[in-house]
Amino acid sequence: MLTIDNYLDSHFIHRSNWLRAAVLGANDGIISVASLAIGVATASSTREPILLATVAGLVAGALSMAAGEYVSVSSQTDIEEADIKREAEELHAMPEEELQILAEIYERRGLKKETALLVAQELTAKDALAAHIRDELGINEISKANPIQAAFASGAAFTAGGVLPLIVTLVASVSSMEYFLYGFTIISLVILGIVSAKTGGSSIGKAILRIVVWGTLAMGLSALVGYLFNVNV
């Protein structure tokens, strides 16, 4: 039975925060670690330097992604909290002006002037700050940033994605390592594109196309660097 408490369960927007971080982390893990391995593989005749670079890239990348995501989302949270504090001060200093602003917001969304004012008055009477946070600042429970969740999702996803090219460097032939890495990475990116599209309810074809194109570009440029330097590691 559809109720106000479960009506969003069939939608995808409530997944946007963690899904964005997870897809970004997994994509970056697959592409960056594979690209690093390919770059070293094209200039190396032994497995050890490739493994060392791959493991170092995996560890450093996972920690960097988690830390970067945490700092980035924390900055967004700080901005939101600063705006909420400012809104509370404005409500205290000029309540009538804030009421008119709220009414105008509802009017621009399609309500009649009288109805918009009535809605603004009733919502203000119930919780003025909550109404302004939601409708003036555009902050709600779905869009509100969560630094810990984003950092964990991004770091864990990077690790999961980076492990895939690491496995290839352990078992593939050194003489054709870059080709094995490229093929396995493309397959991994296609799977990631399908999973992310299914989870987010978007087009599978578009998700696969953009993730494969950018992945191929990154790996191609990394291989080119290895060939250009032509250093036998």
Side-chain angles (χ1 to χ4, degrees):
M1 179 179 177
L2 186 66
T3 68
I4 190 65
D5 296 316
N6 65 18
Y7 76 102
L8 274 180
D9 289 351
S10 61
H11 292 263
F12 301 99
I13 188 63
H14 61 285
R15 304 175 182 175
S16 60
N17 283 332
W18 66 263
L19 180 60
R20 177 195 62 81
V23 171
L24 175 63
N27 180 71
D28 198 24
I30 294 170
I31 294 176
S32 62
V33 175
S35 297
L36 179 61
I38 288 174
V40 177
T42 55
S44 176
S45 58
T46 58
R47 190 182 304 274
E48 287 74 16
I50 306 172
L51 280 175
L52 178 60
T54 304
V55 172
L58 174 59
V59 174
L63 294 176
S64 176
M65 283 293 293
E69 195 72 26
Y70 180 83
V71 171
S72 174
V73 177
S74 293
S75 297
Q76 181 183 339
T77 302
D78 291 342
I79 293 172
E80 291 175 352
E81 290 177 352
D83 263 348
I84 291 172
K85 181 180 179 181
R86 179 179 178 181
E87 194 61 35
E89 293 172 351
E90 290 176 347
L91 279 169
H92 179 74
M94 45 183 189
E96 287 301 319
E97 289 86 346
E98 288 294 314
L99 175 64
Q100 292 301 319
I101 290 174
L102 196 60
E104 186 175 344
I105 290 173
Y106 298 141
E107 187 178 351
R108 290 186 177 184
R109 290 180 180 175
L111 296 181
K112 293 181 181 179
K113 190 177 185 66
E114 298 78 10
T115 307
L117 181 59
L118 179 61
V119 170
Q121 289 171 337
E122 292 188 2
L123 289 176
T124 298
K126 181 180 180 181
D127 191 336
L129 182 58
H132 282 269
I133 290 173
R134 180 183 61 250
D135 296 319
E136 184 179 341
L137 302 181
I139 302 173
N140 55 55
E141 288 302 317
I142 295 176
S143 63
K144 195 170 183 180
N146 187 326
I148 296 295
Q149 183 189 59
F152 179 79
S154 185
F158 185 100
T159 302
V163 164
L164 300 176
L166 175 60
I167 294 172
V168 178
T169 62
L170 287 170
V171 300
S173 169
V174 175
S175 60
S176 54
M177 179 80 73
E178 59 268 35
Y179 303 109
F180 280 105
L181 281 166
Y182 175 76
F184 190 80
T185 300
I186 291 299
I187 293 173
S188 301
L189 290 175
V190 169
I191 295 172
L192 176 62
I194 294 172
V195 171
S196 64
K198 285 284 188 181
T199 308
S202 59
S203 169
I204 293 177
K206 287 183 179 179
I208 292 175
L209 180 62
R210 62 174 171 247
I211 205 169
V212 169
V213 167
W214 285 105
T216 299
L217 182 62
M219 289 183 290
L221 290 175
S222 297
L224 180 61
V225 170
Y227 280 119
L228 287 177
F229 280 90
N230 194 27
V231 179
N232 189 19
V233 181

